[in-house]
Amino acid sequence: MMIATLLFPKWCIEPDASGEQVCARTDRAVGLSVDGRIAYVGPAADAPEARHRVDLRGFTLMPGLINAHTHAAMTLMRGVADDTPLDVWLKNHIWPREGKHLSDPFVYEGTLLAAWEMLRGGTTCCNDMYLFPDAAARALRRAGMRAMIAMPVFDFPTPYAADADGYLSAGLAARDAHADTRTLRFALAAHAPYTVSDSSFAKIKMFADELNLPIHTHLQETAKEVAESVAQYGVSPTQRLADLDITRPDFVAIHAVHCDKLDIATLVAHHSHVVHCPTSNMKLASGVAPIAEMWAAGLNVALGTDGAASNNRLDMWQEMRMAALLAKVSTGDAAALPAPQVLHMATLGGARALGWADEIGSIEVGKSADLIAVDMRQLEHAPIFDPLSHLVYVTDRNCVQHVWVQGEQVVRDGVPTKLDATELRSYAAAWQDTLK
Ligand SMILES: [Zn+2]
């Protein structure tokens, strides 16, 4: 493969010998091919010839962060109703505004705003779940970001669709419209077990089987959700979904806060995945997901921000730090979720959850060049005994200077190359007037 660009970072974050952890290597070079793949990873001294050589002295080069759960367009509702419990927040603040204002332009413009924030913060791929997925797909494609886009399903009407059949046909049409885009993939997303009936889950499963699509859902986010499921169905939502044959190797459980040992064992046995959203869970007082226990049981865990309405940042550096700290305080064990594990969750763990680990999640020859360069030269980083520890406990999103998706530089010197700040500011101002 012809090398177009060679990057020479101070530290390169690569899989260790086991492939299950990351490590920081020095004196490395990473080569990008003309078609946007990683064509060389090895000693800088042995690097082949290349058209461009980029000196990243003082920088860490790492795989792009994967935000495994967000509602990108909800960035337009950032801070609209803070310090409110989940059910009141949804029913009194979010759903009424969505019912009145949700539209293709809302999602397109809100998703562009989210893409700006995510790319600038080093997130190269998001798993987006929202209404009007065609608008989200167009926005993320324009921003140059990789994404898995949910085809959402509810049993109740919204401005987007009337019933489960309507959601499914609109979602599948959006998928067809973007079938030629290498950086976009689609998943079926049942919003939650409490908003989707057994018969709708059966339809989702039928399409998942037929079209080989993953199934994602919010799962056991609150204790109330579990209690209501036990009252209505006699079992937890996880057991109900297992009975419906929904939990399987491409099933992604978002939140999974209130999971007992049986729920965890079920998800492990079915090789399913969990997306941990620590900031959103704390902000909505949902609880603490038993992530250290899940990790020890062998469950693949990814990290997500959730939407900006419940976070209020799409900032994976915050999620990494929160995940590490929350695991320690909730288990009483300072050794729980050490930095290399957290970095794994935010990169390869996310790629595995999305079924995309053949392309992204680690710096390895043959994978897509989805990379970020993090400036570690500021005095706030000094001294650097262990760059992995710093990436979780010290670094923030403003340290991200350069971002590549599929070899294309989409952030240069901290500025997204394919988006226009003035345009995004005008969208945000107009929606602020409308939504207040
Ligand atoms: Zn969510």
Side-chain angles (χ1 to χ4, degrees), residues 50-351:
R51 219 175 295 155
H52 306 289
R53 298 166 71 89
V54 182
D55 182 355
L56 291 173
R57 233 173 300 179
F59 285 71
T60 292
L61 187 71
M62 59 183 283
L65 299 169
I66 297 174
N67 183 352
H69 178 60
T70 190
H71 311 283
M74 290 184 89
T75 302
L76 291 176
M77 290 188 278
R78 188 195 328 262
V80 83
D82 285 337
D83 309 321
T84 311
L86 176 64
D87 51 349
V88 179
W89 177 77
L90 274 177
K91 287 175 189 158
N92 295 3
H93 299 285
I94 300 300
W95 287 344
R97 283 184 171 85
E98 288 181 338
K100 209 162 155 200
H101 300 295
L102 257 195
S103 62
D104 185 289
F106 178 104
V107 174
Y108 179 73
E109 292 165 18
T111 305
L112 282 181
L113 193 62
W116 174 282
E117 181 180 2
M118 287 193 275
L119 284 174
R120 249 172 65 78
T123 295
T124 52
C125 175
C126 69
N127 183 24
D128 186 47
M129 186 198 285
Y130 207 51
L131 304 167
F132 296 93
D134 177 67
R138 294 192 327 266
L140 292 161
R141 184 155 83 169
R142 180 178 156 195
M145 203 169 158
R146 185 183 297 277
M148 178 158 270
I149 310 270
M151 297 175 275
V153 180
F154 292 81
D155 274 341
F156 57 81
T158 62
Y160 173 61
D163 55 20
D165 291 331
Y167 285 99
L168 283 164
S169 60
L172 291 166
R175 174 177 173 263
D176 289 345
H178 297 277
D180 61 337
T181 309
R182 258 172 69 193
T183 48
L184 297 179
R185 288 188 186 177
F186 286 75
L188 289 158
H191 168 259
Y194 59 90
T195 52
V196 177
S197 64
D198 284 4
S199 63
S200 296
F201 268 115
K203 286 176 190 165
I204 290 167
K205 183 183 144 31
M206 186 190 78
F207 282 110
D209 290 343
E210 221 169 80
L211 302 171
N212 196 22
L213 292 167
I215 302 176
H216 299 185
T217 190
H218 292 102
L219 188 72
Q220 298 186 200
E221 183 174 1
T222 63
K224 186 168 168 248
E225 176 193 336
V226 180
E228 286 176 356
S229 175
V230 171
Q232 191 178 348
Y233 299 98
V235 289
S236 74
T238 301
Q239 301 312 315
R240 179 180 152 224
L241 295 190
D243 292 343
L244 294 170
D245 201 17
I246 296 292
T247 54
R248 48 200 211 165
D250 56 6
F251 175 69
V252 175
I254 297 148
H255 297 305
V257 173
H258 295 276
C259 283
D260 62 14
K261 285 199 178 337
L262 179 62
D263 293 332
I264 294 173
T266 301
L267 294 173
V268 172
H270 296 186
H271 305 286
S272 301
H273 310 266
V274 160
V275 180
H276 181 36
C277 305
T279 304
S280 175
N281 296 158
M282 285 193 277
K283 184 157 183 277
L284 295 170
S286 303
V288 183
I291 296 302
E293 195 182 333
M294 289 171 171
W295 180 276
L299 197 53
N300 180 53
V301 178
L303 292 181
T305 57
D306 213 344
S310 68
N311 184 307
N312 302 352
R313 308 157 62 107
L314 306 181
D315 179 353
M316 288 293 290
W317 303 93
Q318 287 275 13
E319 299 313 313
M320 287 198 280
R321 193 167 307 122
M322 291 300 167
L325 299 179
L326 197 54
K328 294 167 201 320
V329 74
S330 63
T331 58
D333 176 7
L337 283 202
Q341 273 181 22
V342 176
L343 284 162
H344 182 279
M345 287 177 181
T347 53
L348 197 53

Side-chain angles (χ1 to χ4, degrees), residues 30 37 97 161 173 193 214 216 241 298 323 344 354 372 405 407 429:
V30 174
R37 297 204 168 268
R97 283 184 171 85
H216 299 185
L241 295 190
H344 182 279
L354 303 187
I372 62 175
V405 174

